Amino acid sequence: MRRRLLLAVLLAGTAAALAVAPVKASAARAAFACAAGGPATSLPFCSQSLPLRARARDYVSRLTRAEKVRLLVNNAAGVPRLGVAGYEWWSEALHGVSDTGPGVHFAGAFPGATAFPQVIGAAAAFNATLWELVGKAVSDEARAMYNGGQAGLTFWSPNVNIFRDPRWGRGQETPGEDPAVAARYAAAYVRGLQQPYNHNRLKLAACCKHFTAYDLDSWGGTDRFHFNAVVSPQDLEDTFNVPFKACVTQGRAASVMCSYNQVNGVPTCADAAFLKGTIRTRWGLDGYIVSDCDSVDVFFRDQHYTRTVEDAVAATVKAGLDLDCGPFLAQYTESAVAKGKVADGDVDAALMNTVVVQMRLGMFDGDPARQPFGRLGPADVCTPAHRGLALDAARQSVVLLKNGRGKHGGGVLPLTGKARRRRGTAVAVVGPHAEATVAMVGNYAGKACAYVTPLQGIAKYAAAVDHQAGCVDVACQGSSQPIGAAVDAARRADVTIVVAGLDQKVEAEGLDRTSLLLPGRQAELISAVAKAAKGPVILVLLSGGPIDVAFAQNDRRISAILWAGYPGEAGGQAIADVIFGQHNPGGKLPVTWYPQEYLRKAPMTDMAMRADPGRGYPGRTYRFYTGPTIYPFGHGLSYTRFTHGIARAPAQLTVQLSGHHHAAAATTSLLNATNTRLGHHSQAQAAAVQVEHARCDGLVVPVHVDVTNAGDRDGAHAVLVYHAPPASAVAVEGAPVRQLVAFEKVHVAAGGVARVEMAVDVCDSLSIAGKDGVRRIHVGEHSLMVGELTHSVTIGVERLVGA
C-alpha cells in the first residue's frame, strides 16, 4: 500500500531521532546460555551455524523430565549443568516499559522509563506510523534494561481485546471498539516492539492478549474467573478474533495469551480448536502460547472444568498451551506424565515453542553485549527523542469534542487572544485532575521519567493562574468538597479550565464501572463553575472509558470539551498545547460514548454484538448500535476544516474463483447468479462467494482520496473509509450497516491538498461473516464512504467454466 505526505512533517524528525546510538550497556547482564568457556559451548544447541529448531531440539533432548517441567512456567528454573540461567518470562510494555510484571525492576541506573499515552488514547490518533514508532522506542528502552539485568525480553503486550462494553475497566488498555483499528494497532505495535532482523531474529518478543472474547472483569456478581462467554461463530469471526489474527498473520507476534474466561463452555486455555486449530494451524503462529496468570489453576479450582490436577495439565498441554504463567504446570506435570495423562512428547513440543523464541532473541548466543542491541544502556532510556515522542503522541491523542462559537464567529478554542498574550490575564485551573501525575498514565504503567501536570502545562501560557481543586480527589464525594473556592476562582478569572474525569479507583483491572456518569459531585462542580464564570469555560476529561457528559455538551456556558484519555507523562503539556493553539487537534474517538440509559438495556454478560429488538437489546459499538449517543465513534473536531475528493476508485470489480472450486461454488455459494458475469443488482441479491473459494491475492479496491485543508491552520486529519455491503447482506446475514475498512493520517498545510492512497482488501475487508462464521463476498453494489462522500463499487464474479 502506498501513501503520500502521511505525517511527513509530524514524524520525520522523530523517526530519525530514534536511531540507536552507540552507547555502552551496563555490565550487569550475564550470558543466559552458551557463554564462552561455559559447560555447553561445544554442544550443538550453542552453535549459531545450525537452524534454530535443530538447536532447540538438541537442547530439549538433553533435559531430564524434572528439568523440563520447571521450564513450563513463567519463572523458569535454570539448568546449571548446561550453563543455562533461570528466566522470568513475565515483563510488560503496554505503553512503555512497566514494572507490573516481575520481570522488570526500576532502580539504580534505570529509575524509570518513558510513559507514553495509555493505548485507548494512542488509538485516538488513528496513526499506525505513530503506533509503530512508539513500539520501537519502547523496545529500545526494554533492551537497554535487559542489558542492565533489570528486564526480560518477552513482553506480554499489547492488549488487543475489543472494547465491547463501555463499563469495562480494562478498556483503557485496548485500541477501542473497532476490529479494523484494533487489528491495525496490533500489527503496528508488535512490529515496533519486535523489529525482526537477520532471518527472523527478534529484538523483543511481543504477546497479544487475551484470546478471546475477554472483556468482563467484575460486574453484577460475575467475575472473569467464573464467566462463560456465550459467543456466536459470527461474532468470533468478525469481531473478537479479528485483532488476534492480525497480530499473528500481519504483525508476526511471537506469542498469544489465552484468557481466564470460558467461551461456549470451554476455558480458552484448554480449547484445542482455538489454540492448536485457529492460532497455530490456521494463522500459523511462529512462537508460543501462554496462559493468563494462574488461568490453568482457575479453570481447575474455580471453574471445576476437570476432576483432577493431572486432567487439568492434560487438558491445557494437549490443547496447545506452551507456557503457564503460574506454578501449576511445574507442580503437576510430572504426575500427569506418570499417570499417562500427558506424554513426554507433549511436553517436548511445548518446550520447543518457547526455546525457539528464546533463541530468536539471542538468549543462547553467549555474551549479550556482543549481540545486536547489546550496546543499549541507561543512556537510551528517557532520551530527549523518546520524551519528545511521548509529547507528540499525547498531542495526537487529544480529541476535541465540542468547540462553541466565540465572539468573532470561530470556535472559542484555541485561546490565541488575550488569554495567551496578555501577561495579566487570569486563568482559573480547577478540578480533581488539575495536578494529575500518576493518574495520567493509566494502568500497566511503569515509573515515568518525569511528569508535566495540566496545571504546569497551562501555566507556561498564562502567567496569572489561580488553582482551586474543587474536589479533594476524583471520587469527589461528601459535603466537604471545596467547590465554593473553585467557583470563586472562576468568577474572578478571564478563562476557566476544568480538568476532571476518572482514574484507576473508578476503572481498572478487576474493576468494571457501574455508571457512565462522572464520579461523585464532579458534574455539580463543573456546572457551578460554568454558571459563575465570567469568561469561557473549557472542560478537559481524563478517562479510559466513555463518560455521559450530556449536561456539559448541552450547557452553552461550557464553551469547549476535550478528551485526553490517559495521556502519559507529558499529558499536561499536550493538553495546554491544544488549548492554546500550539497544536491543532486531530484525534477521533475510538469508542462510542453512550448515554447512561444504555447500561439498563445491555447487561455486561450479554456478548451478542448485534441488536435484538425483540428483547429490547440495543446492540454494541457503532457497527450494530443505532440508538442515541453522547458522541459517536470517530467524532473529533479540528481548528481547521477538511474536505474530501475521491481521485481514484473503481466502479466495478470482478472476483475470480479458485479453479478447483468452480462447480461447488456454482451449486452452493452463488445460488441463482453463477451463469453470467454478475453486476446487476437484480441478479445478485442473495449471491455470495466464500472467501476460501476466491482468488484473493492482489484483490483490492484502490481508494485514492484528495484531502483539502480549507481553513487557515495547518493540521493532521484521519481519513476514515467505511464500507456498506449490499442490503441483502444486512437483511440476511446481519452484516454491519457500515464498518471501517481503511484509515490513514495525513498532515495538510492550510489551503493545501494532500493525496492519501489506500487499498481496501476485498477478501478481508469487504467480506461478510455469516451466522455460521464463514466469510463470504456478496456480489452486487457495495458502498465506500469517506467523510461526506459515497462511492459505489459493484462486485461481480467471473463467468464459471462448465458450471
Side-chain angles (χ1 to χ4, degrees), residues 419-557:
R420 183 174 177 179
R421 291 195 288 264
R422 270 182 44 192
R423 304 295 292 174
T425 297
V427 178
V429 184
V430 306
H433 275 318
E435 294 186 286
T437 54
V438 174
M440 290 196 300
V441 297
N443 67 353
Y444 279 76
K447 293 177 172 58
C449 307
Y451 293 104
V452 178
T453 70
L455 180 62
Q456 291 169 334
I458 293 164
K460 293 181 181 180
Y461 288 97
V465 173
D466 187 354
H467 169 235
Q468 299 292 336
C471 297
V472 298
D473 57 17
V474 168
C476 200
Q477 294 178 337
S479 59
S480 61
Q481 303 301 316
I483 293 176
V487 170
D488 290 342
R491 189 175 288 117
R492 295 188 297 266
D494 298 303
V495 177
T496 300
I497 300 173
V498 186
V499 193
L502 313 179
D503 65 7
Q504 301 308 299
K505 293 182 179 179
V506 180
E507 53 177 0
E509 182 172 5
L511 180 62
D512 297 328
R513 296 158 66 191
T514 57
S515 171
L516 299 183
L517 303 177
L518 285 166
R521 300 175 65 190
Q522 282 195 42
E524 178 187 342
L525 164 69
I526 295 164
S527 294
V529 163
K531 184 177 181 179
K534 71 175 183 179
V537 176
I538 292 89
L539 173 61
V540 179
L541 298 169
L542 303 188
S543 74
I547 306 171
D548 183 344
V549 287
F551 78 96
Q553 173 65 22
N554 296 330
D555 190 338
R556 287 183 293 179
R557 297 168 299 190

Side-chain angles (χ1 to χ4, degrees), residues 65 143 197 200 223 376 402 416 537 555 615 637 678 681 684 738 773:
R65 183 184 294 170
R143 259 287 179 170
Y197 69 98
N200 205 25
D223 63 46
L376 291 167
K402 174 184 178 180
T416 55
V537 176
D555 190 338
R615 59 187 178 94
L637 307 176
L678 298 174
H681 181 71
R738 70 182 182 109

Side-chain angles (χ1 to χ4, degrees), residues 45 58-73 75-86 89 323 329-331 333-334 344 347-348 351 354-355 358:
F45 71 81
D58 177 74
Y59 173 65
V60 172
S61 72
R62 296 175 186 278
L63 303 176
T64 67
R65 183 184 294 170
E67 288 170 335
K68 290 176 182 178
V69 301
R70 284 295 292 122
L71 299 180
L72 294 173
V73 292
N75 58 337
V79 186
R81 66 184 179 84
L82 295 177
V84 179
W89 287 81
L323 186 71
L329 292 187
Q331 292 171 329
T333 300
E334 276 197 275
D344 284 308
V347 176
D348 291 353
L351 290 181
T354 56
V355 171
Q358 290 179 313

Side-chain angles (χ1 to χ4, degrees), residues 66-363:
E67 288 170 335
K68 290 176 182 178
V69 301
R70 284 295 292 122
L71 299 180
L72 294 173
V73 292
N74 64 287
N75 58 337
V79 186
R81 66 184 179 84
L82 295 177
V84 179
Y87 179 66
E88 175 55 67
W89 287 81
W90 181 4
S91 294
E92 300 277 359
L94 197 68
H95 51 113
V97 181
S98 166
D99 56 355
T100 303
V104 172
H105 304 278
F106 290 116
F110 299 96
T114 309
F116 293 92
Q118 178 60 290
V119 178
I120 194 67
F126 281 81
N127 183 349
T129 304
L130 174 70
W131 301 333
E132 188 165 345
L133 282 174
V134 170
K136 288 179 178 179
V138 172
S139 70
D140 276 356
E141 301 197 354
R143 259 287 179 170
M145 291 186 67
Y146 172 79
N147 292 340
Q150 292 178 221
L153 289 177
T154 47
F155 284 81
W156 292 347
S157 302
N159 180 345
V160 298
N161 291 118
I162 296 296
F163 196 172
R164 169 190 64 103
D165 190 288
R167 290 161 286 201
W168 189 31
R170 301 188 72 176
Q172 61 182 287
E173 302 173 29
T174 78
E177 72 181 35
D178 181 72
V181 175
R184 187 92 177 272
Y185 179 90
Y189 192 68
V190 166
R191 283 194 295 267
L193 283 182
Q194 296 193 155
Q195 293 183 68
Y197 69 98
N198 189 24
H199 303 296
N200 205 25
R201 293 298 190 99
L202 300 175
K203 185 178 182 183
L204 299 180
C207 174
C208 294
K209 60 186 186 185
H210 314 78
F211 187 86
T212 184
Y214 167 61
D215 53 10
L216 178 152
D217 271 52
S218 180
W219 177 86
T222 301
D223 63 46
R224 58 184 174 171
F225 306 121
H226 300 85
F227 182 48
N228 176 29
V230 178
V231 189
S232 71
Q234 188 175 34
D235 286 341
L236 281 173
E237 174 63 29
D238 75 0
T239 299
F240 296 112
N241 288 356
V242 172
F244 291 97
K245 180 180 179 182
C247 238
V248 175
T249 62
Q250 298 173 33
R252 308 306 302 175
S255 178
V256 173
M257 176 183 285
C258 50
S259 55
Y260 289 116
N261 57 290
Q262 296 183 359
V263 173
N264 299 327
V266 182
T268 63
C269 293
D271 194 323
F274 278 163
L275 306 190
K276 281 187 176 179
T278 297
I279 297 173
R280 193 166 295 284
T281 302
R282 283 180 55 204
W283 297 344
L285 174 70
D286 181 15
Y288 69 98
I289 299 174
V290 61
S291 73
D292 204 343
C293 295
D294 291 320
S295 286
V296 182
D297 188 80
V298 163
F299 78 64
F300 171 69
R301 301 187 196 282
D302 293 275
Q303 299 174 6
H304 307 293
Y305 184 69
T306 63
R307 187 176 60 85
T308 69
V309 292
E310 291 84 5
D311 289 333
V313 170
T316 196
V317 171
K318 289 184 175 181
L321 189 77
D322 303 308
L323 186 71
D324 178 20
C325 179
F328 198 94
L329 292 187
Q331 292 171 329
Y332 304 116
T333 300
E334 276 197 275
S335 175
V337 174
K339 292 182 178 182
K341 304 283 187 177
V342 175
D344 284 308
D346 296 322
V347 176
D348 291 353
L351 290 181
M352 282 290 294
N353 291 327
T354 56
V355 171
V356 167
V357 168
Q358 290 179 313
M359 289 184 169
R360 292 169 69 193
L361 291 163
M363 294 176 68

Side-chain angles (χ1 to χ4, degrees), residues 15 24 93 101 283-284 401 413 440 675 740:
K24 185 178 180 181
W283 297 344
L401 299 174
L413 294 183
M440 290 196 300
N675 292 320
L740 189 69

